[in-house]
Amino acid sequence: MKTSNPNFSKYPLVWLAGGLMLGIIFGKVAAAPALASLAVSIGAASVAFAIRGRRYAGLFLLIAFCFAGIFILGESSANERADRIKTVYDSGQIESGEPVEVEGTLIGKPEPSIDGFIIRLQVEKLVHDTAEQNVSGVIKLFAMAADPEAETEYAAMDLRYGTRIRVACDLSREEQFQDPGVVSQKLVMDQQGIDATGTIKSPLLIEVLGRKSVFVPLAWIFDQRQDLIYSLRQNLNPSTAGVLIASLLGDRHFLDKRTADVFREGGTFHVLVISGLHITFIGGMILVFIRIFTRNRVWPVLATTAFLWLYAFAVGAEVPVVRATLMFTVLACSQLVHRNGTLFNSLGLCAILILAWRPYDLFTASFQLTFVSVGAIVVIAFPLIQRLREIGEWTPTRKSPFPPNTRPWLRQFCEALYWREDVWMIEQKRHIWTTKLFKTTKAAWLSREGMRKLIRYVFEGMVVSFVVQACLLPFLIVYFHRLTMASIFLNLWVGFFIAVESFAALTGTLLSYLDASLAGPFFRVAEFFNWMLTAVPGFILDTGWASFRLPAYSGVGRSLYFLYVIPVAILSRAIFIWDPFQLIRRGTFVHLRWCIAFLILSATIIVHPFSAPSPDGRLHIDFLDVGQGDSALITFPDGQTMLVDGGGKGRFRTDTGDGEEEQFEPDTQRIGEAVVSEFLWDKGYSKIDYILATHADADHIQGLVDVSKNFEIKYAMFGRTPADDANYTELADVLAKRRVAITTIARGDELNVGGVSVTVLYPAAGVSPNEVSNNDHSVVLRIVFGSKRILMTGDIEKGAERSLLAEPTSLEADVIKVPHHGSRTSSTEDFVNAVGAKLAVISVGRHSVFGHPNPEVVERWKMSGAAVLITGEAGTVSVSTDGQNIYVDHFRK
Amino acid sequence: MRRSRKGLTFNICATVLVLSGAVFFLGCTIEQTSSNSDAHSVTVADGAIDINLASAEELAKIPHIGPKLAGSIVEFRELHGPFRRPEHLMLIRGISNSRYHEIRAFVKTQ
């Protein structure tokens, strides 16, 4: 008799993994002494062993794992070597950006990139200001090779896995943009196992010292990977090559932004990151292939696992890849020891192994996404599909003599998908008795039409996709601020086409070694599949309903995400233990209540009615740290918002393909997306009432393009609308697409929002609004609330300052956004004195390539009696006023 | 008398020739000396300047290095110590790979 109620105690490793995770979380929140934790852990484990077989033995084992988690985390922090490069930089021994010489060994082969390549160096020595010290840690260096001479010089060096080099460069380990909600650069580096990054300006700065002996098969695989990258780039167009190099070889430097955005918006970007999906697919294919030739159970698994580990190292051995390979190894090996069907338990074992290796991974998005998605598939999707299959395929047996006890519509649906009349006819011939089964007629019809197999695959794929999406909902919103409805379907589309595209391209590459003419058709087919891969999702996404950007709750609101876990966990358990053949249906009402709770919580997360801060009657201005550039968010006392400039500065490059000039924009995150949008989402906004571009320079206007794509905008305001300016036209196109009206503003225009008066002081209305929009045409705003005045000056220079001084309007202000990032072209003495500000905010990064701010200008503002805050040093500068007093805060304390 | 006139003509011609030769030789020498006079004490036989010893004025005279960059080189040297290799000039902002290739013949480290 089938056990109708399998419970979770059959999965001890899942419980133990849970205990370990709890311990790690506890260790992070409240640092407990590591040795005491170890002692408690050993003690609890000893008690568990002593009372094994009794009721509470499991509980003691759980306690042992919990304290083991605390111990592992403590040890992991304590074991960090004091000579690590990250420690050298974090302790301030060396400032970020200072020139150093480092000596070390190359890990892996240099990874090709646009205009150069990337090397990872296991560093042994560091020289700074003639002082030499022994250090450890891995650094990531970008070697510039934009011209053929540099490429030739690098080729002559023959840098490879195991090469020892000494290199002179500027190393950097610091936060780039210090704003609330923006991902910490140091944290990202730590998660990637990189201590610092740097750029090598020339091959002449590298000295080859020798070569270390290396593991030859791995070196061979590195060579093959590099050859394959060159071959794909040579034979395919940039978009196809970029997709294949990223998805097969783990190098995302050749992805172009347009293609990457289609994947990102479609919620299918995960196929471009080597993860569990790839490892499972590649491993599964190899396993199936080998099993064609042998019935042996052991060596196909061992051979596949060995290949996967080599592959994992060849593609960079990044943590997610290693984790996925480890999971495959555990799952494959669990079959070897006859542990079929305990995927959930194997998942627990994987978690224990990975957390024992890198306990801090528990707090990374990558770990959480991997385990939640695999867990959702194993606990919900697979059992659900299995139950539906059982309902559809039901025939009377001794185990289940009665028909499934489900709603008729569900039974008919399952029968339509899974009932096989032909199999039943054969089965019936074996028995001495006959039975008449009343199955839905649609099953026979679908089967006849030959569509059933396809419909079944699509249905099952969509179930898996939906379940994963539902379980990942809080993670998708907190980490990516994106919900893609279409991804439930697009995952299937992309999954299929990327598989056939990869197959065509790899076949073409293999044939190209024999004869280029044989390979040509395969490459063309790969390009066609790539077009299919991107064109259809692109078309669906263009409709505008398929993908949404959503803000995250912060503060107390974040508890919603934890609450969401409760109904999901209860419903998951209900599906996991669901027995459709149970004669008495239990818990239906209870499940209905949890379903309603699930729907309400999902809606609250997606619609986010409480995410934005409620109006507090004050005027707030946040001057963001966007590096070299300007961006300030004004929150009016009634809660309306205005974004003045959006920062930004893109990197473009022209690449040639088949003799034709084609613009290639690498898939790098722009400031508007990675900084300004992240800040606004963190604040809880999904719409901005007004956006205003002071002028059309990229470091002011470009970020507004991303903001306009990601947020609902009510009004857009410009001083001038230069039709021939690429930065402006890009923004204007996005605004037109989103049907946002553009208003041109000029001196004398006034806006009253929530009791705040916003007056335009400059520029005067031009002859034509389409005139050029340079620094000296920047919009200057005076914001008045109560007795307090704030001046926003864009990038005005001396000429505009003189014009403003010539006007009768008083320039007096309590707070000023200093013109043109504190450049010496602005802030004349007369202007500074006329403003007489108490606070001068300079919007510029820590290392301005233009040398901003000018020390004399800073001194001039200070001499006038103003406190000076620079966004690059202070982070976001937040100014708020109730009309009587001004309150100032900044992100970096 | 006739013999003496012939002898005088010969002597005059010889003197003119010697003087012309002397002037030519001296001219070359003077030209050479004047070209050498532009170089300074840090100039070595191969014509390269030691970037660890040269002053900002001396560095500024290197082709493609103006006074601003020369000042940056001296400032860098004072801040971070002497250059171990001339290639390390590229660690200074403003000296790219291509600019270094333009000046590499004129710089050296001891």
Side-chain angles (χ1 to χ4, degrees):
Chain A
M1 182 77 186
K2 186 184 171 186
T3 312
S4 61
N5 187 16
N7 59 56
F8 281 85
S9 65
K10 284 188 175 174
Y11 308 97
L13 293 173
V14 175
W15 282 104
L16 297 181
L20 199 70
M21 286 178 195
L22 208 65
I24 291 171
I25 293 168
F26 185 77
K28 179 94 189 289
V29 176
L35 275 179
S37 309
L38 181 65
V40 175
S41 177
I42 293 170
S46 307
V47 173
F49 183 74
I51 61 165
R52 63 187 182 280
R54 293 195 196 166
R55 199 173 173 190
Y56 296 108
L59 185 66
F60 277 98
L61 205 55
L62 205 63
I63 293 169
F65 266 72
C66 190
F67 278 90
I70 301 173
F71 169 72
I72 290 168
L73 194 81
E75 274 301 285
S76 162
S77 318
N79 277 352
E80 202 149 272
R81 288 172 59 172
D83 65 353
R84 281 283 292 266
I85 288 192
K86 62 191 265 187
T87 316
V88 170
Y89 277 83
D90 288 344
S91 63
Q93 292 175 48
I94 303 177
E95 283 287 313
S96 232
E98 289 206 356
V100 290
E101 265 193 281
V102 285
E103 199 177 304
T105 310
L106 256 68
I107 308 172
K109 189 132 177 151
E111 186 167 298
S113 175
I114 300 290
D115 284 345
F117 57 87
I118 286 165
I119 57 174
R120 282 165 183 259
L121 201 66
Q122 179 73 53
V123 184
E124 293 140 24
K125 271 184 196 161
L126 183 143
V127 183
H128 174 245
D129 293 356
T130 67
E132 186 178 302
Q133 56 182 313
N134 289 328
V135 289
S136 64
V138 176
I139 59 170
K140 186 176 167 183
L141 298 170
F142 172 65
M144 286 167 66
D147 52 86
E149 289 81 20
E151 275 182 30
T152 314
E153 283 179 66
Y154 276 122
M157 277 185 207
D158 191 22
L159 297 175
R160 57 173 65 197
Y161 173 40
T163 306
R164 291 196 69 248
I165 59 168
R166 187 190 294 137
V167 58
C169 60
D170 296 345
L171 280 187
S172 169
R173 181 179 167 82
E174 63 178 350
E175 299 298 353
Q176 264 189 309
F177 307 105
Q178 300 171 93
D179 304 285
V182 176
V183 180
S184 157
Q185 189 70 19
K186 283 187 190 177
L187 190 68
V188 171
M189 283 200 282
D190 288 346
Q191 287 175 0
Q192 293 174 347
I194 294 164
D195 279 11
T197 56
T199 301
I200 307 169
K201 280 168 85 174
S202 159
L204 298 174
L205 291 169
I206 299 179
E207 295 165 78
V208 176
L209 305 175
R211 298 193 196 283
K212 270 189 174 176
S213 59
V214 292
F215 184 48
V216 178
L218 197 55
W220 182 81
I221 282 213
F222 286 140
D223 288 343
Q224 298 311 306
R225 179 188 181 228
Q226 202 175 45
D227 289 350
L228 201 51
I229 290 176
Y230 284 125
S231 168
L232 291 173
R233 287 193 72 200
Q234 211 174 1
N235 293 308
L236 295 162
N237 68 40
S239 169
T240 313
V243 166
L244 288 169
I245 292 170
S247 63
L248 290 176
L249 303 168
D251 183 347
R252 293 199 294 279
H253 297 106
F254 299 105
L255 266 181
D256 68 286
K257 188 154 181 62
R258 203 170 38 189
T259 308
D261 278 347
V262 170
F263 282 89
R264 216 171 261 127
E265 286 169 26
T268 55
F269 194 80
H270 60 93
V271 301
L272 299 181
V273 182
I274 295 180
S275 60
L277 186 70
H278 293 70
I279 297 293
T280 313
F281 180 74
I282 296 170
M285 293 293 281
I286 296 171
L287 213 54
V288 168
F289 182 72
I290 298 177
R291 278 184 178 163
I292 294 172
F293 303 102
T294 176
R295 285 185 173 274
N296 188 303
R297 290 181 64 249
V298 181
W299 78 261
V301 171
L302 295 180
T304 308
T305 310
F307 177 85
L308 282 180
W309 278 106
L310 280 175
Y311 174 76
F313 280 102
V315 297
E318 285 184 13
V319 178
V321 186
V322 173
R323 194 164 48 223
T325 314
L326 183 66
M327 282 178 76
F328 185 90
T329 309
V330 169
L331 294 174
C333 292
S334 69
Q335 293 194 352
L336 282 187
V337 290
H338 301 281
R339 291 280 172 186
N340 277 355
T342 56
L343 282 171
F344 196 30
N345 220 15
S346 303
L347 191 67
L349 179 60
C350 289
I352 292 171
L353 292 175
I354 288 162
L355 290 175
W357 171 43
R358 293 170 59 103
Y360 276 100
D361 270 15
L362 181 61
F363 308 105
T364 62
S366 164
F367 179 92
Q368 293 163 4
L369 292 168
T370 305
F371 275 89
V372 172
S373 52
V374 177
I377 294 170
V378 169
V379 178
I380 310 173
F382 283 177
L384 181 63
I385 291 169
Q386 183 59 30
R387 303 291 179 275
L388 298 179
R389 187 183 286 272
E390 283 168 12
I391 294 169
E393 287 178 347
W394 175 82
T395 56
T397 58
R398 215 167 66 172
K399 217 160 121 189
S400 50
F402 302 108
N405 184 13
T406 57
R407 308 263 177 215
W409 63 265
L410 181 62
R411 205 178 64 232
Q412 283 170 15
F413 175 75
C414 295
E415 284 167 1
L417 283 182
Y418 298 109
W419 173 249
R420 291 182 63 183
E421 187 71 29
D422 49 343
V423 174
W424 170 238
M425 296 304 286
I426 296 164
E427 179 73 20
Q428 229 182 0
K429 283 177 189 162
R430 288 191 193 162
H431 302 297
I432 51 167
W433 42 266
T434 56
T435 312
K436 175 72 181 164
L437 293 178
F438 297 95
K439 298 286 183 182
T440 178
T441 51
K442 289 185 183 70
W445 179 76
L446 280 174
S447 199
R448 234 185 358 258
E449 296 298 315
M451 293 188 298
R452 201 162 67 151
K453 214 168 185 178
L454 177 69
I455 292 173
R456 203 158 56 201
Y457 284 140
V458 170
F459 169 74
E460 289 178 0
M462 285 174 76
V463 166
V464 171
S465 200
F466 173 78
V467 166
V468 170
Q469 186 95 344
C471 289
L472 287 179
L473 180 68
F475 298 93
L476 295 176
I477 288 175
V478 170
Y479 291 127
F480 307 115
H481 302 286
R482 190 190 296 280
L483 182 69
T484 310
M485 311 302 277
S487 72
I488 294 167
F489 160 72
L490 289 180
N491 269 313
L492 302 180
W493 181 271
V494 168
F496 173 75
F497 278 103
I498 205 153
V500 289
E501 180 187 341
S502 306
F503 183 73
L506 289 176
T507 311
T509 308
L510 285 175
L511 287 175
S512 68
Y513 294 123
L514 301 173
D515 187 356
S517 59
L518 286 174
F522 283 92
F523 288 129
R524 300 292 83 77
V525 168
E527 278 174 356
F528 171 72
F529 285 137
N530 191 69
W531 179 81
M532 293 287 283
L533 185 69
T534 52
V536 172
F539 174 73
I540 293 172
L541 294 167
D542 278 347
T543 58
W545 59 265
S547 179
F548 304 97
R549 304 310 301 264
L550 298 170
Y553 284 96
S554 53
V556 186
R558 202 147 270 211
S559 56
L560 260 181
Y561 303 125
F562 294 97
L563 282 178
Y564 180 80
V565 176
I566 298 170
V568 170
I570 289 171
L571 292 173
S572 307
R573 188 174 183 274
I575 291 171
F576 195 73
I577 63 172
W578 177 35
D579 179 8
F581 299 98
Q582 207 171 31
L583 292 178
I584 303 165
R585 266 194 304 211
R586 280 179 297 195
T588 311
F589 180 66
V590 178
H591 295 150
L592 188 68
R593 273 193 305 188
W594 284 112
C595 280
I596 292 167
F598 168 75
L599 290 173
I600 291 172
L601 282 169
S602 312
T604 317
I605 290 171
I606 294 167
V607 183
H608 62 87
F610 316 111
S611 65
S614 44
D616 61 357
R618 280 187 184 185
L619 170 72
H620 298 265
I621 303 184
D622 295 297
F623 298 94
L624 271 66
D625 173 16
V626 287
Q628 168 67 42
D630 270 19
S631 184
L633 175 73
I634 304 171
T635 312
F636 294 99
D638 63 351
Q640 290 197 66
T641 47
M642 177 189 281
L643 185 69
V644 181
D645 289 333
K649 188 83 181 172
R651 287 193 309 157
F652 290 86
R653 157 181 193 276
T654 50
D655 200 6
T656 48
D658 297 327
E660 286 177 16
E661 283 266 314
E662 190 179 332
Q663 193 172 58
F664 181 86
E665 187 185 355
D667 179 39
T668 47
Q669 276 206 316
R670 304 204 301 190
I671 288 167
E673 169 85 17
V675 181
V676 184
S677 295
E678 287 289 346
F679 170 81
L680 295 172
W681 283 319
D682 185 69
K683 280 244 170 198
Y685 293 117
S686 61
K687 68 169 187 182
I688 302 295
D689 296 290
Y690 307 90
I691 59 165
L692 189 153
T694 55
H695 63 296
D697 275 3
D699 59 338
H700 291 251
I701 200 169
Q702 194 196 56
L704 291 177
V705 176
D706 299 305
V707 171
S708 304
K709 283 180 187 167
N710 295 334
F711 295 82
E712 187 190 327
I713 310 290
K714 274 192 189 167
Y715 307 100
M717 296 183 285
F718 297 89
R720 288 183 175 182
T721 51
D724 55 350
D725 187 303
N727 292 312
Y728 169 76
T729 48
E730 190 187 2
L731 176 57
D733 287 347
V734 174
L735 292 172
K737 210 171 166 184
R738 306 206 66 176
R739 293 177 189 159
V740 179
I742 293 174
T743 311
T744 312
I745 52 173
R747 179 187 292 158
D749 288 342
E750 197 175 335
L751 184 73
N752 283 295
V753 191
V756 176
S757 151
V758 181
T759 313
V760 180
L761 301 185
Y762 189 84
V767 182
S768 154
N770 291 343
E771 285 174 289
V772 288
S773 178
N774 292 334
N775 286 345
D776 245 358
H777 307 119
S778 294
V779 173
V780 177
L781 299 176
R782 185 182 60 197
I783 302 162
V784 181
F785 183 49
S787 63
K788 298 298 165 193
R789 295 168 169 215
I790 294 141
L791 209 58
M792 308 287 285
T793 57
D795 275 1
I796 56 164
E797 297 182 344
K798 287 171 185 167
E801 287 181 4
R802 271 197 299 272
S803 301
L804 281 164
L805 287 166
E807 288 295 314
T809 320
S810 168
L811 293 175
E812 219 171 285
D814 299 278
V815 179
I816 182 168
K817 199 294 295 177
V818 172
H820 199 195
H821 322 289
S823 160
R824 63 178 168 194
T825 59
S826 316
S827 299
T828 56
E829 197 141 1
D830 290 343
F831 181 78
V832 172
N833 291 334
V835 174
K838 293 182 187 69
L839 173 67
V841 180
I842 301 177
S843 187
V844 69
R846 283 171 102 176
H847 309 288
S848 164
V849 285
F850 305 107
H852 298 151
N854 183 273
E856 286 174 25
V857 168
V858 175
E859 199 51 37
R860 204 173 294 152
W861 282 106
K862 282 183 179 168
M863 290 300 287
S864 76
V868 175
L869 283 175
I870 300 168
T871 53
E873 291 169 2
T876 302
V877 176
S878 303
V879 176
S880 65
T881 174
D882 52 10
Q884 302 299 319
N885 300 300
I886 285 188
Y887 308 91
V888 182
D889 196 8
H890 42 88
F891 184 65
R892 193 179 179 209
K893 305 296 178 193
Chain B
M1 191 65 186
R2 231 177 124 182
R3 257 181 91 176
S4 64
R5 277 180 69 187
K6 273 187 180 175
L8 184 66
T9 310
F10 174 79
N11 284 341
I12 289 169
C13 288
T15 310
V16 168
L17 275 172
V18 169
L19 280 175
S20 306
V23 166
F24 178 75
F25 176 75
L26 278 174
C28 290
T29 315
I30 289 163
E31 200 178 299
Q32 208 169 1
T33 313
S34 68
S35 70
N36 275 350
S37 70
D38 283 348
H40 294 269
S41 55
V42 288
T43 310
V44 286
D46 57 4
I49 287 180
D50 188 333
I51 50 171
N52 286 322
L53 298 174
S55 65
E57 293 75 33
E58 289 161 346
L59 288 166
K61 286 174 186 163
I62 298 173
H64 310 289
I65 299 255
K68 196 178 168 189
L69 216 46
S72 300
I73 294 171
V74 173
E75 193 186 335
F76 186 95
R77 200 171 66 195
E78 285 167 359
L79 208 60
H80 303 293
F83 295 94
R84 195 173 62 78
R85 299 170 66 213
E87 287 85 356
H88 290 181
L89 279 173
M90 281 184 280
L91 292 172
I92 297 168
R93 183 169 288 170
I95 302 185
S96 62
N97 185 37
S98 55
R99 182 171 293 199
Y100 178 74
H101 276 86
E102 289 165 352
I103 62 169
R104 69 193 299 180
F106 307 104
V107 291
K108 69 171 283 176
T109 51
Q110 285 291 1

